[in-house]
Amino acid sequence: MAGLINEEDLATVRERSRIEDVVGSYVTLRRGGGGSMVGLCPFHDEKTPSFHVTPARGFFHCFGCGEGGDVISFVQKINHVSFAEAVEFLADRVGVQLRYTDGGGQRMEPGLRLRVLEANQLAAEFYAGQLVSGTGLPGRQFLDGRGFDKAAAEQFGIGYAPTGGRELGAHLKAKGFTDDELVKAGLVRENGWDFFQGRVLWPIRDAGRSVLGFGARKIFDDDRMPAKYLNTPETIVYKKSNVLYGLDLARGNIARKNQAVVVEGYTDVMACHLSGVDTAVASCGTAFGDEHARLLQRLLGTGDVTGGEVVFTFDGDAAGQAAALKVFKGDQNFLAQTYVSVEPTGLDPCDLRMQHGEAALRELVGRRVPLYRFVMRNVVSGYDLDRVDGRLAALRAAAPLVSSIRDASLVSGYLRELAQLLGMDPEEVRREVKVTVQRRARPDQQQRRPGPDDTDALPGMPEPRPSLPVPDPRDRRLEAERGTLRLIVRAPETFGEGWNGLAADNFLHPAYRALFEAVLAAGDGPGGWTQRILQAHPDPVLEQLVISLAVEPVLREPTEAYAREYSAQLRVQALSRQIADAKSKLQRTNPLDDQPAYNRMFAQLVDLEKQRKELLALATGPAV
């Protein structure tokens, strides 16, 4: 992490990033009613525009698929990046130099990130130019030997670092960069020598195609750096545990196909993309870890365990099996299904393409098997299954694997498969797995003996997090509640002090009531009106509700009279419910038994009717 983004800079980015300009670079927008702009939604297929952008409020919302948010969340969704990455993307777009603070509150150098990204981009262009020059012949020969032509080199931006060791530094200093900036960018060493020398280079980009760093491959035997692959050192923009090579080319395909293929090297990514496997990515100079998993999950963008898949390619040797076991330990980071593709001959994707053609590489991915099955078979293979004690030991070793499967619908099948591998009775295997589940349960959880029909519930799927129910915008019974809140969100200045006498109890739907309570708690302070509402009651349902209300068209120009009509109608409905309750209670009371109580209830009913009559005179305008 580069640190926390300065709050003032964040506010400046929000202010300068006009949502209609940002969205308009991805979606063709035209003027609609009520000050909104409409277009075809970029997040789902549609023929009739249901995607609305409201520049005055800074929100977008699709009435077809429900996606919505502000300009930052739009960039997050469209580019499949984190919040910080979206802010940095917008900051670069509007020319804001972000300041960062570390955990201790120390500010990082203003503008350094922009300078590093600019230096990286110029370095990528320099290296690419060197590859096609006379000095780049060794690099071209290496690529040709791996089956990559000039078009492939251009597609992936491949470059070549000269052997002289000073060329890049001199080139960038002539462009105005200082020695300190080039060192902090990881392009030049403190002794003045270029970081990369005599190597083929791959630019490593983020989802927005900004160059974060480079991966370099050794091609000369006398290379002073012993490692075959060398990566940019950690910088303000390059964190090897947070980046994936090929992400800039694969991100859209991953989101569209709900599939990501993870390979081990830069040339493997190239081979996959050139063979039609255009969802391939690779970790850069480090093992695939938790941050990589979370990055892919954002790209897949699904909360359904069956809604996508992540396919890992491993060698069939011991190292490949160890890598698969490591991925299995982190598999809970994926909501998608996780698979493994293993080439029996031991060829990596690049060699497979060279020796057997592009179809063989596509078939490799097509032969994927579930990660659980791959790991389970490898665990079982380590025991002597010809002995009773060996089979029991293998069962106990494999039981935790089955018990950790998230998708309960798969458990029965894997139990039968494990029983077949071991040559044991399926019921015996099922009982042992259940015992494993009980042993792994937390001590504070209530234990119960599994019943005969509990096989599919073995993994213990997590309980859903409680949240507000989503209101139906078409529910005519709640039109006054929604219309009133729409005005409050869009035109709070049209309401008088005390919100025209409205109270939280006037709202029947829990989400509408929670939103009004957030309005009461928002008050005055820094930030925009809608931002203060959301900060008062953080909830994903409430956030989407505010966004949809902010972009929904109003029937006429908001005025104080219009607001009084809406709030009066809502209060009339609340009074009508009170009157109905009072009448019911009055009917159940015998005046002969308690005349004073009866008289009080009758007077209360008369007063409520009077209030309703007065409010009805106001609630005559909006056709909600």
Side-chain angles (χ1 to χ4, degrees), residues 220-413:
F220 294 112
D221 292 336
D222 60 351
D223 192 316
R224 292 189 297 271
M225 301 298 293
K228 179 187 291 187
Y229 285 96
L230 182 65
N231 289 82
T232 295
E234 298 274 303
T235 69
I236 191 174
V237 299
Y238 181 77
K239 308 293 181 183
K240 62 184 180 182
S241 62
N242 294 340
V243 297
L244 291 168
Y245 175 70
L247 184 64
D248 55 314
L249 299 174
R251 65 175 181 85
N253 300 320
I254 290 174
R256 183 170 61 255
K257 297 181 179 180
N258 272 341
Q259 181 199 67
V261 177
V262 182
V263 295
E264 294 187 340
Y266 304 110
T267 56
D268 294 333
V269 171
M270 295 178 67
C272 285
H273 280 261
L274 294 173
S275 300
V277 184
D278 54 7
T279 59
V281 294
S283 55
C284 304
T286 184
F288 189 91
D290 292 346
E291 290 300 324
H292 297 127
R294 281 188 278 271
L295 176 57
L296 282 186
Q297 188 57 57
R298 285 205 308 270
L299 290 171
L300 290 166
T302 175
D304 183 355
V305 295
T306 62
E309 61 181 37
V310 180
V311 183
F312 290 87
T313 61
F314 295 116
D315 294 337
D317 56 13
Q321 294 180 19
L325 285 169
K326 185 178 186 303
V327 169
F328 176 79
K329 293 178 180 178
D331 183 56
Q332 297 301 318
N333 290 314
F334 293 112
L335 294 178
Q337 297 288 4
T338 314
Y339 296 83
V340 176
S341 288
V342 177
E343 173 54 39
T345 63
L347 295 176
D348 60 32
C350 183
D351 289 332
L352 185 63
R353 173 178 175 265
M354 288 181 58
Q355 297 185 25
H356 300 287
E358 295 177 351
L361 208 161
R362 293 193 294 271
E363 290 172 5
L364 169 65
V365 177
R367 293 196 306 267
R368 63 195 181 280
V369 297
L371 175 64
Y372 292 105
R373 179 182 300 167
F374 178 83
V375 174
M376 185 168 63
R377 288 180 175 177
N378 278 281
V379 168
V380 170
S381 66
Y383 294 86
D384 184 358
L385 302 183
D386 292 331
R387 299 166 52 90
V388 174
D389 57 344
R391 291 193 294 272
L392 182 58
L395 170 58
R396 289 174 175 171
L401 307 181
V402 180
S403 65
S404 65
I405 296 173
R406 294 182 309 277
D407 190 348
S409 63
L410 299 176
V411 174
S412 294

Side-chain angles (χ1 to χ4, degrees), residues 100 136 145 205 250 366 379 436 489 514 532 538 580 608:
Y100 298 83
R205 308 177 192 270
V379 168
T436 300
V489 169
R532 297 203 304 273
L608 290 173

Side-chain angles (χ1 to χ4, degrees), residues 311-583:
V311 183
F312 290 87
T313 61
F314 295 116
D315 294 337
D317 56 13
Q321 294 180 19
L325 285 169
K326 185 178 186 303
V327 169
F328 176 79
K329 293 178 180 178
D331 183 56
Q332 297 301 318
N333 290 314
F334 293 112
L335 294 178
Q337 297 288 4
T338 314
Y339 296 83
V340 176
S341 288
V342 177
E343 173 54 39
T345 63
L347 295 176
D348 60 32
C350 183
D351 289 332
L352 185 63
R353 173 178 175 265
M354 288 181 58
Q355 297 185 25
H356 300 287
E358 295 177 351
L361 208 161
R362 293 193 294 271
E363 290 172 5
L364 169 65
V365 177
R367 293 196 306 267
R368 63 195 181 280
V369 297
L371 175 64
Y372 292 105
R373 179 182 300 167
F374 178 83
V375 174
M376 185 168 63
R377 288 180 175 177
N378 278 281
V379 168
V380 170
S381 66
Y383 294 86
D384 184 358
L385 302 183
D386 292 331
R387 299 166 52 90
V388 174
D389 57 344
R391 291 193 294 272
L392 182 58
L395 170 58
R396 289 174 175 171
L401 307 181
V402 180
S403 65
S404 65
I405 296 173
R406 294 182 309 277
D407 190 348
S409 63
L410 299 176
V411 174
S412 294
Y414 282 123
L415 283 171
R416 290 191 297 270
E417 186 169 341
L418 178 58
Q420 185 177 7
L421 284 173
L422 297 172
M424 297 178 65
D425 181 79
E427 281 301 309
E428 184 179 357
V429 172
R430 182 176 65 86
R431 286 194 297 270
E432 184 62 35
V433 173
K434 286 183 177 179
V435 170
T436 300
V437 173
Q438 288 180 329
R439 289 172 179 168
R440 293 176 64 186
R442 293 199 307 256
D444 58 335
Q445 288 180 321
Q446 183 177 356
Q447 300 276 337
R448 70 176 180 89
R449 187 177 183 82
D453 300 324
D454 287 347
T455 302
D456 286 345
L458 285 174
M461 299 295 287
E463 292 292 329
R465 292 179 59 186
S467 184
L468 291 169
V470 180
D472 184 355
R474 298 165 297 183
D475 191 340
R476 296 186 62 84
R477 296 169 300 177
L478 301 174
E479 284 179 343
E481 296 185 28
R482 191 175 187 89
T484 303
L485 289 170
R486 187 189 304 121
L487 274 176
I488 290 176
V489 169
R490 292 178 62 109
E493 70 279 359
T494 61
F495 285 79
E497 186 176 355
W499 299 104
N500 293 349
L502 291 173
D505 291 341
N506 295 152
F507 297 87
L508 288 178
H509 195 281
Y512 292 149
R513 186 184 310 116
L515 177 52
F516 187 73
E517 290 173 345
V519 167
L520 296 177
D524 298 326
W529 169 235
T530 52
Q531 296 296 328
R532 297 203 304 273
I533 294 175
L534 295 176
Q535 291 172 359
H537 189 156
D539 183 274
V541 171
L542 208 61
E543 180 180 1
Q544 289 302 314
L545 177 58
V546 169
I547 292 167
S548 61
L549 291 175
V551 299
E552 285 179 4
V554 292
L555 298 180
R556 67 174 193 252
E557 187 67 24
T559 63
E560 292 183 2
Y562 193 36
R564 284 195 299 269
E565 292 168 1
Y566 253 122
S567 52
Q569 184 162 355
L570 188 58
R571 291 174 61 193
V572 165
Q573 292 181 358
L575 279 173
S576 297
R577 293 191 293 270
Q578 293 182 45
I579 289 171
D581 292 340
K583 286 182 176 179

